[in-house]
Amino acid sequence: MNVHESEKIAGLLSSNGYTKVSNMQMADIIVFNTCCIRDTAEKKILSKIGELKALKRKNKNLIIAIVGCMTQQEGKATSILNTYNYIDIILGSNNHLDLVKHINELSKKKKIVQIESLDNNNIIEDFPIYRESKYKAFVNITYGCNNFCTYCIVPYVRGPEISRNPQKIIEEITGLLSNGIKEITLLGQNVNSYKFEDIDFNKLLIMIDNINVVKEFWIRFMTSHPKDLDENIITTIANSKHICNNIHLPLQSGSNKILNLMNRKYNREQYLNIIKIIRDKIPHCGITTDIMVGFPYETEEDFLDTLDIIEKAQFMNAFTFIYSQRKGTPASEMPQIAPEIKKERIMKLIKKQNIIAKNISNEYVNNTYTAFVESYDHKNKILIARLQDGKQVNIKNNDISLLGCFVKIKIKNAGISALLGEVI
Ligand code: 5AD
Ligand code: SF4
């Protein structure tokens, strides 16, 4: 999501005559797009901002802007300005469109801070976007989140969920496909709860699947929420022409007690039931997830429930996190788990998930698939491709004319998260 937001900021600057440079030393303007979902992300950004002081000392005309959701935490803009007094502009994640206006006004003003929440009236359409890839693209369908999981800061910094007008979504996708994009990922904190008048996520998927400007394209979406991913959506994916058999379905924990404390609104039995429906209806679906350890009150028994459910669910890939205390969220007021216990648990979780993922990877070896070649890794001289189920395949081949193409490949070898394949 943040990558796509950076594409919008870059699009705005390039449509106003700015060009991208290859390193920060050469820049006249540096824009930092921030994230505050975990403390580690925030610390990393703050240390990067600290490094800019020397650059500003060398180049007094350098403009530094900090944008994105980190700035929307209560009191954060003031504390950033107090600590890093060489910052010129601070904008919330809904104020990107004003960046150029503020840059132009800096000669008159010393510092500019603009942090506003998003509502239906200021949802920004027809935004210039500088897309990193010529072959695949992200398209927002919702902004914000209404779920208030007790650990999560997103609803506070991003505001309530807003769904984009489906006509605008279809127009954007049609335009992208007409310009050669072959793979589109629909984005939202909880895409399944998309609702614009009488169009829900299921209807939106059907509308997108029926776009017929080009013959071959793939659609992915993230993130789904287990409480909202219903059977209709799963059936639509199964019957579709273009929607990939790939679902990212954050689990967070395998313990009913912890899921309840997290306010996730499902239990482990319901989660496993959705997995069963997916596996029954969508053959070879690549299911990935997010899992957290060390949430307040998590006992060894709760953690064992998480280890148990990942065995049952058989995730193709899992993003694993240590719970991070976020100020202002209900969980930050709960008794916290010791850091050593959290570390021990995450190591055990990763170890177990790696075994599961490697076993799943092995099943691909010697089989043939259609893969979409999405990028070229210059350093390692490999093409990076993806199967419809989301599995990454590295191809030792420097034929960049294959970029943006669907190719037939045979899998030769398996790693934990990526496969090694050959074009056939
Ligand atoms: N601590 C750790 N992980 C978090 N996530 C969200 N908030 C936190 C937090 N406070 C994780 C969740 C979510 C993913 C995007 O980030 O697993 O699904
Ligand atoms: Fe955060 Fe929960 Fe919303 Fe995801 S669904 S963004 S974890 S509050």
Side-chain angles (χ1 to χ4, degrees), residues 409-423:
I409 57 164
K410 182 166 186 178
I411 304 302
K412 293 289 178 186
N413 221 326
I416 292 170
S417 55
L419 307 170
L420 196 67
E422 249 176 37
V423 179

Side-chain angles (χ1 to χ4, degrees), residues 151-328:
Y151 50 81
C152 185
I153 197 156
V154 169
Y156 303 91
V157 291
R158 300 257 172 195
E161 182 182 282
I162 300 171
S163 295
R164 241 181 117 189
N165 184 323
Q167 239 38 63
K168 289 286 178 189
I169 297 172
I170 299 292
E171 264 170 40
E172 185 176 347
I173 296 177
T174 307
L176 289 167
L177 296 174
S178 309
N179 282 315
I181 295 276
K182 300 272 175 51
E183 189 193 271
I184 287 171
T185 305
L186 311 175
L187 291 179
Q189 305 291 347
N190 174 4
V191 286
N192 312 140
S193 61
Y194 174 90
K195 186 100 176 89
F196 190 98
E197 292 166 3
D198 62 336
I199 309 289
D200 61 9
F201 184 60
N202 188 39
K203 284 191 183 151
L204 181 71
L205 278 184
I206 295 170
M207 285 162 73
I208 296 171
D209 195 49
N210 284 330
I211 295 177
N212 56 12
V213 280
V214 291
K215 233 176 88 202
E216 213 170 8
F217 64 94
W218 283 356
I219 298 290
R220 303 183 193 280
F221 53 87
M222 64 174 190
T223 296
S224 288
H225 194 305
K227 77 177 169 64
D228 295 314
L229 181 72
D230 64 28
E231 213 165 326
N232 282 339
I233 299 172
I234 297 169
T235 308
T236 296
I237 301 167
N239 296 337
S240 73
K241 301 180 284 294
H242 303 289
I243 303 163
C244 293
N245 52 341
N246 178 200
I247 300 178
H248 183 63
L249 194 64
L251 162 70
Q252 311 302 359
S253 169
S255 150
N256 283 343
K257 179 190 94 190
I258 298 296
L259 287 171
N260 191 29
L261 284 167
M262 287 176 165
N263 190 30
R264 289 291 290 174
K265 302 195 173 79
Y266 56 86
N267 59 32
R268 57 182 277 131
E269 292 74 24
Q270 286 163 326
Y271 187 94
L272 285 171
N273 189 43
I274 307 168
I275 298 279
K276 184 175 179 324
I277 299 172
I278 296 172
R279 300 244 185 258
D280 286 350
K281 293 208 169 195
I282 310 174
H284 309 291
C285 189
I287 306 177
T288 58
T289 199
D290 294 341
I291 307 174
M292 208 185 292
V293 297
F295 185 84
Y297 298 107
E298 186 187 68
T299 61
E300 199 54 30
E301 202 184 339
D302 296 316
F303 175 62
L304 290 176
D305 279 346
T306 299
L307 292 184
D308 175 71
I309 200 170
I310 67 165
E311 184 71 45
K312 295 193 164 82
Q314 293 287 305
F315 297 114
M316 185 176 84
N317 192 12
F319 298 92
T320 53
F321 306 106
I322 289 180
Y323 164 73
S324 164
Q325 207 171 353
R326 303 283 67 205
K327 210 170 135 215

